[in-house]
Amino acid sequence: MGYSPKDYAQSFCDVILEIKNEGKINQCIKNFLNLVRKNRDQKKLKEIIDLAENTINQKTGRRKIVIESARELKGKNEKATNSFLKKTDKVEKKINSDLIAGVRITINNELLIDGSFSNKIKKVFDI
Amino acid sequence: MSYEIIEKLKQAIGDYKDTEKLEEIGRVIESGDGIVKIYGLKNVKSQEIIIVETEKKEIKALALNLEEDSVGALILGDYTDIKSKDIVKRTNNLLSIPVNENLLGRVVNPLGEALDGKGPLFGNEEPTLCLLEKDAPSVLDREPVDTPLHTGIKTIDSMIPIGRGQRELIIGDRQTGKSAIALDTIINQSIDTYHKTPICIYVAIGQKESKIAKTVEILKNSGALKYTIIVSASASSGAALWYLAPYAGCAIGEYFRDKGQDAVVIYDDLSKHAFAYRQISLLLRRPPGREAYPGDIFYLHSRLLERAAKLSKEKGGGSLTALPIIETQLGDVTAYIPTNVISITDGQIYLESDLFNQGIKPAVNIGLSVSRVGSKAQTPAMKKVAGKLRLELAQFRELQAFVQFSSDVDEATKKKIQRGQIITEALKQQDLSPLPFEKQIIILYAVLNGYFDKTDLSELSPLQEKLMENIEKLHYEKILEPLKKTGVLTEEIEKELKAVLAKL
């Protein structure tokens, strides 16, 4: 019987969140990977990991935040961008010169605040 | 010129209000064959427009499948640039098409983009955005159909009359003259001035671009293009546009209907529309039913055709007439899609290949064709004249087997056979030659009152032309003009007509 990536992710998250001992977590991960290999579902692994990450974030209230900026943020800009971050957030910073200026912040791949200059130009001229 | 451009730019920049807001986004997880599967967008609405941001450009899509963890969307454009992990944004807008009077004479695609190369569609006038999916008028908003829509085809206007606000199906095999009937109807609206000229919308679904170009040329040459809008989803445009084309045409027709005007929309053809919807549904992994069509294939056409209606005076008194076309295979009207659409419409015009091959054009099978509105949608003159036409033809059909043995039957039967042959010959009509209703009345009067009984079948067509020429040149004010204006065959007109026919 085939399991969907969602089934794998859900069951993995349910087990991992109950474990408190770090040694047991590693064992749990090993068991999970062995199960995936046994079922010959290695191709689905990337999707399972993405889904598992999202599920764990939802259940623990953690956020995955991606901050894209045209240049490396320093000083005041960095402070302003970090002002809404929490300690539990997983932050990834990227440089994207296509933004021209400003920042684009993605939260949990579900929400977006686009303060980039390229977006403003698009809105002004309705491109 | 450059000063104006700079001023426009300044105004655009000055009017811009900088408001960053939290937008809901999704990510593409699967893409192929015009369908994308998106993770996220939990609050997206069904039929909402979403934007897929690729590296090169933004592509619109239509959210169709709202599943627990993902959204299935139909790409409205070129899908080859879409990759996995591309961002997808909501627009909070349902699919709509911009419409106003500027569309008349233009060829557009179902998204409202011009295809005829005649420049922008809308100048300074702001168009109205009409939703492609809209509820049909309620029972209370409607009134009975009582105004004729003349097609200019003798067979149809006399025996299968169509009214404004009716849905009349044109059904037949390939190459039987279905599109020809539709085109004649459009062209006739400029000739027939008994009622106000309706706006005509021709929806071409899955047709060759060469055929669409030919149609545009025909309409232009006959002067019909000025009140016609063509919505084209050509064969190469993809299933998404084939699926949306009839709804776009209907939305345009509703704009004029709701303004109190009459409109006619022709869907050529809905069989291809059903194929496109089947393709989309299968790609969206919706469960297939009979003949692999999805379970809601009936609803696809019923919600489209229900929007054709005659509105009450309180709602403006406008009307939207629908002439859907269905292509059958080997004359099988009992197939799935034909039976669905027959049960939705208010009648059908059935075209047969056998009749076409016998030279009877238009190849209408009177026995199987019906108009459920009937004589309520006929002028009083036509009702009076064509009343016994169906009966005479039915009697002729019964006796047709004896035609080859006509020397062996009695005099009365021989007369009936001869009359039937004359009527059949008189009802024949050339392609793209619609006849205004007042001329049809004269010809049918002459045929049914025996004035052509002694005429040879081969001489009937030139005789009809001679009669029309005579009446137009010498008796226009006494016969044609009053008939055209009133639609009533008064005693004076009849007396005058009898005199002309006796001389002829």
Side-chain angles (χ1 to χ4, degrees):
Chain A
M1 183 187 148
Y3 299 107
S4 70
K6 190 189 169 192
D7 293 334
Y8 276 117
Q10 189 68 49
S11 44
F12 176 72
C13 293
D14 286 346
V15 170
I16 212 87
L17 287 171
E18 281 172 13
I19 299 171
K20 304 235 168 29
N21 187 334
E22 199 172 312
K24 280 192 177 173
I25 289 175
N26 289 337
Q27 187 59 43
C28 181
I29 293 168
K30 254 191 201 168
N31 289 346
F32 178 72
L33 291 172
N34 281 335
L35 176 67
V36 169
R37 194 179 52 181
K38 189 178 156 192
N39 292 342
R40 296 182 193 187
D41 284 331
Q42 292 97 317
K43 275 189 290 189
K44 298 177 189 172
L45 213 45
K46 191 175 184 311
E47 198 182 337
I48 295 167
I49 291 168
D50 286 338
L51 283 170
E53 189 180 14
N54 288 336
T55 311
I56 290 172
N57 287 342
Q58 270 173 27
K59 291 193 174 184
T60 56
R62 260 186 232 152
R63 301 183 299 182
K64 181 185 170 184
I65 296 178
V66 177
I67 301 174
E68 289 175 273
S69 55
R71 286 173 289 282
E72 198 181 331
L73 294 172
K74 288 174 186 171
K76 252 196 307 186
N77 290 335
E78 195 183 11
K79 210 175 172 184
T81 319
N82 292 341
S83 61
F84 77 97
L85 296 175
K86 292 182 203 166
K87 279 183 194 167
T88 51
D89 291 339
K90 182 185 167 190
V91 181
E92 188 185 331
K93 291 186 180 177
K94 285 184 186 171
I95 307 293
N96 183 356
S97 54
D98 290 340
L99 302 179
I100 306 172
V103 289
R104 185 160 72 183
I105 301 170
T106 315
I107 305 167
N108 284 343
N109 269 332
E110 286 176 1
L111 297 168
L112 174 77
I113 304 169
D114 197 338
S116 64
F117 191 62
S118 60
N119 189 42
K120 287 180 204 223
I121 291 174
K122 253 192 250 172
K123 282 185 187 170
V124 167
F125 298 110
D126 206 6
I127 300 165
Chain B
M1 176 74 173
S2 56
Y3 175 76
E4 282 171 20
I5 293 169
I6 290 167
E7 284 304 311
K8 277 192 178 162
L9 282 171
K10 274 186 185 173
Q11 195 182 11
I13 295 167
D15 288 347
Y16 175 68
K17 283 189 180 106
D18 193 4
T19 48
E20 262 80 45
K21 48 181 181 171
L22 206 58
E23 290 178 277
E24 203 183 325
I25 61 160
R27 293 268 180 190
V28 172
I29 46 177
E30 251 179 63
S31 169
D33 296 323
I35 301 289
V36 282
K37 203 169 171 186
I38 298 154
Y39 177 79
L41 293 182
K42 289 191 180 115
N43 298 319
V44 73
K45 295 177 211 153
S46 181
Q47 304 273 345
E48 184 180 329
I49 296 290
I50 51 180
I51 307 280
V52 181
E53 292 186 347
T54 65
E55 268 175 16
K56 291 180 189 171
K57 57 190 173 188
E58 290 182 347
I59 302 169
K60 282 187 186 172
L62 187 66
L64 286 177
N65 263 16
L66 305 184
E67 292 161 21
E68 196 183 344
D69 297 317
S70 61
V71 172
L74 180 67
I75 297 295
L76 304 175
D78 184 15
Y79 54 84
T80 48
D81 292 326
I82 297 175
K83 298 191 319 290
S84 183
K85 298 261 168 95
D86 281 344
I87 290 177
V88 185
K89 290 183 183 175
R90 286 183 64 187
T91 60
N92 278 304
N93 294 327
L94 297 177
L95 188 54
S96 56
I97 184 170
V99 187
N100 74 11
E101 280 71 11
N102 285 5
L103 279 185
L104 293 171
R106 302 297 302 266
V107 182
V108 295
N109 75 0
L111 303 175
E113 295 156 359
L115 296 177
D116 49 12
K118 287 184 187 172
L121 288 167
F122 310 105
N124 295 325
E125 296 161 35
E126 204 58 40
T128 308
L129 285 174
C130 297
L131 292 171
L132 261 64
E133 292 275 6
K134 207 173 158 192
D135 284 342
S138 68
V139 173
L140 295 172
D141 293 340
R142 296 171 189 247
E143 72 177 22
V145 172
D146 58 7
T147 313
L149 177 81
H150 291 132
T151 61
I153 298 168
K154 288 174 270 189
T155 313
I156 296 173
D157 290 343
S158 57
M159 291 179 283
I160 321 159
I162 303 173
R164 296 188 184 202
Q166 189 181 348
R167 293 89 46 95
E168 184 78 8
L169 172 66
I170 303 169
I171 184 167
D173 278 3
R174 56 177 189 84
Q175 300 296 316
T176 47
K178 302 186 294 294
S179 302
I181 289 179
L183 281 182
D184 279 353
T185 306
I186 296 175
I187 295 167
N188 190 53
Q189 302 316 310
S190 61
I191 307 166
D192 196 324
T193 52
Y194 183 62
H195 287 285
K196 203 174 162 208
T197 307
I199 305 295
C200 299
I201 301 133
Y202 182 78
V203 182
I205 305 159
Q207 290 185 20
K208 290 183 286 195
E209 304 229 22
S210 58
K211 190 182 171 194
I212 298 167
K214 198 175 162 192
T215 304
V216 172
E217 202 55 37
I218 290 169
L219 292 174
K220 194 172 160 190
N221 292 338
S222 54
L225 194 59
K226 58 180 184 285
Y227 54 82
T228 307
I229 300 165
I230 296 174
V231 179
S232 167
S234 67
S236 57
S237 58
L241 293 185
W242 287 26
Y243 164 61
L244 294 174
Y247 295 104
C250 192
I252 295 170
E254 279 177 331
Y255 168 84
F256 293 102
R257 181 199 72 189
D258 294 343
K259 286 183 92 179
Q261 292 176 267
D262 292 331
V264 181
V265 60
I266 295 155
Y267 304 112
D268 192 0
D269 58 70
L270 289 186
S271 309
K272 291 203 179 68
H273 183 230
F275 296 158
Y277 189 58
R278 177 172 58 184
Q279 179 181 327
I280 292 165
S281 298
L282 289 171
L283 287 168
L284 286 169
R285 300 270 182 192
R286 291 181 178 178
R290 178 177 166 184
E291 293 179 29
Y293 287 106
D296 61 345
I297 193 73
F298 185 94
Y299 182 53
L300 175 78
H301 291 146
S302 66
R303 71 179 187 266
L304 172 70
L305 294 171
E306 274 297 301
R307 289 157 74 177
K310 172 90 174 78
L311 295 184
S312 62
K313 287 181 185 49
E314 290 80 27
K315 289 287 173 183
S319 71
L320 178 61
T321 309
L323 297 178
I325 294 175
I326 287 278
E327 186 177 296
T328 51
Q329 303 297 322
L330 296 172
D332 184 16
V333 288
T334 61
Y336 190 26
I337 302 299
T339 48
N340 274 359
V341 182
I342 286 169
S343 63
I344 296 167
T345 52
D346 306 317
Q348 65 272 355
I349 297 166
Y350 182 46
L351 299 166
E352 266 189 347
S353 304
D354 289 343
L355 293 174
F356 190 90
N357 295 334
Q358 286 169 29
I360 298 170
K361 295 169 194 175
V364 180
N365 183 327
I366 306 297
L368 291 177
S369 303
V370 72
S371 166
R372 299 186 206 193
V373 169
S375 58
K376 286 177 229 149
Q378 271 183 322
T379 55
M382 184 64 88
K383 212 190 292 191
K384 187 178 176 183
V385 162
K388 39 183 188 165
L389 186 56
R390 233 184 213 272
L391 182 65
E392 299 243 2
L393 276 174
Q395 286 174 342
F396 170 60
R397 272 198 308 277
E398 292 291 309
L399 298 169
Q400 243 181 327
F402 296 108
V403 168
Q404 53 188 331
F405 309 114
S406 57
S407 55
D408 299 324
V409 298
D410 61 282
E411 213 45 52
T413 309
K414 231 191 247 184
K415 268 191 178 166
K416 278 202 173 117
I417 289 169
Q418 200 190 2
R419 173 66 69 87
Q421 286 172 331
I422 287 173
I423 293 172
T424 307
E425 193 62 34
L427 288 176
K428 284 182 187 175
Q429 206 166 334
Q430 288 286 340
D431 206 11
L432 304 174
S433 309
L435 205 60
F437 83 97
E438 62 273 10
K439 292 185 181 178
Q440 290 182 32
I441 288 166
I442 291 166
I443 290 170
L444 290 172
Y445 183 90
V447 167
L448 289 167
N449 286 289
Y451 288 97
F452 291 153
D453 280 357
K454 290 183 182 150
T455 315
D456 211 29
L457 288 178
S458 57
E459 289 166 15
L460 195 56
S461 185
L463 187 59
Q464 285 181 60
E465 281 170 26
K466 193 177 165 189
L467 170 65
M468 281 297 110
E469 203 185 323
N470 182 296
I471 291 180
E472 255 182 322
K473 284 186 178 159
L474 303 172
H475 306 278
Y476 181 81
E477 287 101 12
K478 286 190 178 168
I479 299 176
L480 275 180
E481 200 179 1
L483 256 181
K484 205 171 175 176
K485 280 189 180 156
T486 63
V488 178
L489 187 63
T490 58
E491 275 179 24
E492 290 84 25
I493 301 172
E494 200 173 343
K495 199 175 161 189
E496 200 64 42
L497 185 56
K498 276 181 182 168
V500 172
L501 288 168
K503 268 189 210 167
L504 203 69

